[in-house]
């Protein structure tokens, strides 16, 4: 047997496999409880799951939205899952915008702290937030948790409570991030993508010259940056990345978080295929929920958004490079970004891959020289010069991006034998990477070695979600 918290599932016979799975499943539920934190806004208590007590001690948008999809399968069904969503929505701005971070005013570990964003004039007074957002997975999560709520009446009541906020959020995304009505959303900060230091942004960084970032911003990063002290610096984004992250925040804050201006004038504005793939699926989810509540007229609008985005995603396919691509749209540019990252598989999640494109997409995904490693799916192809097995979003395999690819393959292309088999394999390898090394932020795609911050909520909730959705029969009583 291999060393590690648990043995490699492949080394075990079925009974032991089920024991490992059950053990990991139970450990995941314990960790989710441990990472629950209570925060008070407007004199009211909110319960939410922090990504990791080692560093990420506030509420993160897309982490919480996916965590809720695991929480719905715990004994707290549906309370903790509903609370997790309520704790996201409490930070929503009046215009419908949902921020990436809702800060806990009593905790200081994380950099940048709340005051760096200068959002006081635009956010809810009592809820300190950042000024950027994250991938729009909210509607997908609420659709899923309300379909898995034991009591249908409770699910319907919850839908009636949160649907107005979700619609307002989608309207805000459409108005501010797709003013030209292309179907693809513009994201304006690497942190918005969720894949912070991905090679996808290297080319766009050329427009953000380090010399033009105010010295005060760089001094602040040098003095106060904490992720590289609490975690291993060589696995984190570089200092230059952080100058750019904070330089953009400083610029947007000085523009009063005016999104019309930001989207038009920022040196960093990208039509992101991963963000947009989630957007397409989220609109289908929103339409489904509205239909379930008998609101088919309103559902039509969001169904229309979903269809438009799917077509736009399929149209980003570049035959020569055999991939979908992001588009740099900063300051009037329109320049495709060709980088071999796992973002190219995200149109699977949207259901945007055409019949003609599907075999090509699967071929690329299944290539052992690029993405089909021992612990797939690397965030950057392993044969790329930019591949780094340990540096955050520049190589490691992450459970969250695996989840998107798995659900894409299984839910949308499961009728295709090859897609289904690859989906099945990915489910097992994703569970395996968590079983072997525990709930770590990400792993080396070749060796499975764990990196990043530990006791992470994402792998725990994704373990619960994947097991309940695809491997229910393995859990022992
Ligand atoms: C990471 O991003 C934050 C900024 O949002 C950071 O590094 O400080 C990313 O992995 C992001 O996708 C994730 O939501 C966040 C919390 O887990 O951490």
């Amino acid at each position: 047997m291999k060393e590690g918290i648990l043995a490699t599932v492949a080394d075990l016979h079925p009974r032991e496999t089920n024991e490992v799975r059950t053990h990991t499943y139970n450990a995941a539920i314990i960790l989710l409880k441990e990472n629950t934190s209570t925060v008070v806004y407007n004199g009211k208590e909110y319960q939410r799951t922090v990504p990791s007590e080692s560093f990420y001690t506030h509420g993160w948008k897309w982490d919480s939205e996916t965590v809720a999809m695991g929480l719905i399968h715990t004994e707290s069904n549906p309370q903790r899952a509903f609370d997790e969503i309520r704790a996201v929505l409490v930070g929503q701005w009046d215009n419908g915008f949902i921020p990436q971070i809702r800060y806990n005013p009593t905790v200081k570990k994380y950099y940048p702290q709340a005051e760096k964003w200068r959002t006081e004039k635009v956010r809810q007074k009592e809820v300190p937030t950042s000024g950027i957002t994250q991938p729009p997975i909210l509607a997908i999560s609420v659709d899923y948790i309300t379909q898995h709520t034991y009591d249908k009446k409770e699910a319907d009541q919850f839908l009636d409570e949160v649907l107005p906020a979700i619609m307002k959020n989608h309207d805000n995304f459409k108005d501010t991030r797709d003013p030209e009505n292309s179907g693809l959303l513009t994201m304006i900060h690497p942190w918005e993508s969720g894949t912070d230091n991905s090679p996808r942004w290297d080319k766009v960084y050329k427009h953000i010259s380090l010399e033009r970032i105010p010295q005060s911003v760089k001094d602040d990063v040098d003095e106060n940056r904490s992720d590289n002290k609490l975690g291993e610096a060589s696995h984190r984004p570089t200092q230059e990345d952080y100058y750019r992250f904070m330089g953009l925040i400083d610029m947007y804050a000085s523009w009063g978080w005016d999104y019309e201006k930001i989207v038009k004038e920022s040196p960093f504005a990208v039509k992101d295929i991963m963000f947009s793939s989630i957007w397409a699926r989220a609109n289908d989810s929103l339409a489904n929920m509205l239909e379930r509540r008998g609101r088919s007229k309103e559902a039509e609008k969001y169904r229309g958004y979903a269809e438009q985005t799917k077509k736009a995603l399929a149209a980003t396919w570049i035959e020569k490079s055999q991939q979908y691509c992001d588009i740099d749209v900063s300051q009037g540019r329109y320049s495709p970004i060709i980088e071999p990252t796992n973002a190219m598989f995200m149109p699977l999640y949207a259901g945007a891959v055409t019949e003609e494109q599907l075999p090509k997409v699967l071929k690329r995904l299944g290539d052992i020289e690029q993405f089909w490693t021992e612990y797939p799916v690397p965030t950057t192809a392993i044969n790329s010069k930019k591949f780094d097995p340990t540096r955050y979003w520049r190589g490691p395999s992450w459970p969250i991006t695996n989840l998107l690819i798995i659900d894409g393959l299984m839910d949308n292309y499961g009728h295709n034998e090859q897609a289904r088999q690859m989906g099945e394999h990915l489910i097992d390898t994703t569970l395996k990477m968590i079983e072997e090394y525990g709930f770590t932020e990400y792993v080396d795609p070749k060796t499975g070695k764990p990196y990043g911050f530990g006791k992470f909520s994402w792998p725990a909730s994704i373990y619960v979600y994947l097991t309940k959705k695809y491997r229910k029969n393995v859990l022992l009583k």
Side-chain angles (χ1 to χ4, degrees):
M1 273 210 245
K2 277 198 188 168
E3 295 217 336
I5 299 172
L6 297 162
T8 310
V9 170
D11 295 343
L12 305 171
H13 68 67
R15 165 88 198 164
E16 284 175 316
T17 303
N18 293 359
E19 274 164 13
V20 171
R21 292 253 151 103
T22 309
H23 176 88
T24 314
Y25 181 88
N26 292 337
I29 290 181
I30 292 169
L31 180 63
L32 290 175
K33 273 195 192 138
E34 281 173 8
N35 281 354
T36 306
S37 129
T38 304
V39 60
V40 180
Y41 298 127
N42 304 310
K44 207 174 150 207
E45 284 193 352
Y46 289 85
Q47 293 237 302
R48 66 179 180 203
T49 314
V50 298
S52 166
E53 286 289 356
S54 321
F55 179 55
Y56 301 101
T57 46
H58 305 284
W60 259 261
K61 181 183 178 298
W62 81 315
D63 297 61
S64 280
E65 290 163 0
T66 20
V67 163
M69 292 159 75
L71 286 176
I72 196 63
H73 293 297
T74 65
E75 63 187 15
S76 72
N77 178 311
Q79 220 43 55
R80 279 290 298 113
F82 286 4
D83 287 349
E84 196 72 30
I85 299 297
R86 289 191 180 108
V88 169
L89 292 178
V90 67
Q92 185 170 30
W93 297 0
D94 283 344
N95 62 3
F97 176 88
I98 301 183
Q100 156 231 22
I101 306 178
R102 289 142 287 120
Y103 282 86
N104 180 343
T106 63
V107 183
K108 294 279 173 243
K109 206 178 249 176
Y110 181 74
Y111 174 87
Q113 293 86 358
E115 54 278 12
K116 303 279 181 222
W117 298 88
R118 311 196 312 264
T119 52
E120 297 77 5
K121 290 208 178 110
V122 281
R123 61 167 162 84
Q124 302 282 344
K125 260 197 193 59
E126 299 273 334
V127 189
T129 71
S130 60
I132 57 170
T133 189
Q134 270 191 325
I137 214 160
L138 173 67
I140 300 166
S141 169
V142 173
D143 189 21
Y144 184 82
I145 65 178
T146 49
Q147 287 195 63
H148 291 84
T149 299
Y150 296 141
D151 182 340
K152 183 173 178 313
K153 220 167 118 211
E154 257 187 286
D156 287 346
Q157 274 167 1
F158 184 66
L159 279 181
D160 293 344
E161 174 190 331
V162 298
L163 276 173
I166 301 175
M167 287 192 280
K168 205 169 169 188
N169 179 238
H170 278 225
D171 295 348
N172 175 266
F173 266 127
K174 185 72 186 165
D175 291 349
T176 60
R177 303 311 183 94
D178 189 18
E180 66 291 326
N181 199 19
S182 68
L184 302 175
L185 296 191
T186 303
M187 88 52 236
I188 51 85
H189 193 287
W191 280 343
E192 283 204 328
S193 72
T195 62
D196 309 359
N197 62 338
S198 168
R200 295 193 282 156
W201 320 135
D202 291 1
K203 183 173 145 183
V204 192
Y205 282 169
K206 301 221 166 87
H207 324 314
I208 315 174
S209 101
L210 289 171
E211 291 75 57
R212 291 181 62 187
I213 297 172
Q215 193 53 45
S216 56
V217 170
K218 293 186 223 165
D219 289 346
D220 181 58
V221 171
D222 290 343
E223 233 168 85
N224 298 315
R225 184 178 173 193
S226 57
D227 61 300
N228 54 349
K229 298 181 188 91
L230 294 166
E232 167 55 49
S234 66
H235 302 165
R236 298 287 308 171
T238 63
Q239 198 74 344
E240 293 191 349
D241 287 332
Y242 261 74
Y243 292 155
R244 291 193 167 94
F245 295 163
M246 296 309 293
L248 286 171
I249 292 169
D250 183 64
M251 180 189 291
Y252 300 157
S254 76
W255 293 350
W257 296 103
D258 171 352
Y259 265 100
E260 215 182 303
K261 184 176 169 73
I262 295 172
V263 167
K264 234 189 253 161
E265 295 180 26
S266 171
F268 189 96
V270 180
K271 296 286 182 195
D272 173 350
I273 34 169
M274 181 165 136
F275 204 97
S276 298
S277 295
I278 296 172
W279 167 243
R281 188 168 170 127
N283 278 303
D284 269 333
S285 295
L286 179 51
N288 294 344
M289 292 188 282
L290 287 164
E291 274 162 11
R292 270 163 43 215
R293 297 307 293 139
R295 299 165 69 169
S296 34
K297 193 88 213 92
E298 289 156 292
E300 262 174 46
K301 170 170 133 184
Y302 301 104
R303 191 75 69 196
Y305 289 172
E307 290 314 312
Q308 181 197 24
T309 302
K310 286 180 211 176
K311 285 200 190 97
L313 282 164
T316 71
W317 177 264
I318 299 203
E319 187 60 27
K320 193 168 148 230
S321 322
Q322 292 288 295
Q323 73 166 90
Y324 302 99
C325 62
D326 304 292
I327 302 158
D328 173 4
V329 291
S330 58
Q331 299 163 332
R333 297 179 183 89
Y334 191 90
S335 170
I337 301 170
I338 318 284
E339 282 293 350
T341 72
N342 68 353
M344 77 170 79
F345 305 116
M346 297 307 161
L348 290 164
Y349 190 59
V353 176
T354 65
E355 264 186 40
E356 203 207 324
Q357 291 162 352
L358 186 62
K360 300 174 186 173
V361 172
L362 297 181
K363 186 166 177 226
R364 196 101 200 250
L365 177 61
D367 183 348
I368 55 170
E369 307 278 310
Q370 297 186 61
F371 292 102
W372 212 240
T373 56
E374 190 67 24
Y375 297 81
V377 177
T379 35
T380 302
I382 57 169
N383 64 350
S384 159
K385 276 200 201 91
K386 294 187 174 175
F387 170 75
D388 182 332
T390 57
R391 203 184 274 277
Y392 220 39
W393 290 95
R394 296 182 79 85
S397 294
W398 285 70
I400 178 65
T401 40
N402 278 12
L403 178 153
L404 305 177
I405 299 172
I406 290 168
D407 277 354
L409 290 168
M410 301 299 282
D411 294 342
N412 296 327
Y413 300 94
H415 54 272
N416 176 297
E417 183 59 16
Q418 192 193 355
R420 203 182 46 74
Q421 276 181 16
M422 290 177 84
E424 293 287 353
H425 179 78
L426 263 187
I427 295 165
D428 283 325
T429 47
T430 305
L431 295 177
K432 185 174 95 162
M433 66 174 76
I434 300 170
E435 282 152 1
E436 284 188 342
Y437 291 110
F439 306 106
T440 184
E441 201 174 4
Y442 54 82
V443 306
D444 179 323
K446 293 182 187 167
T447 63
K449 238 181 127 198
Y451 290 101
F453 290 103
K455 292 197 166 186
F456 223 86
S457 300
W458 247 345
S461 60
I462 290 167
Y463 195 90
V464 172
Y465 170 82
L466 290 178
T467 309
K468 281 290 187 174
K469 186 166 174 184
Y470 297 111
R471 295 288 184 267
K472 228 180 188 156
N473 54 339
V474 304
L475 293 176
L476 301 171
K477 286 279 168 256

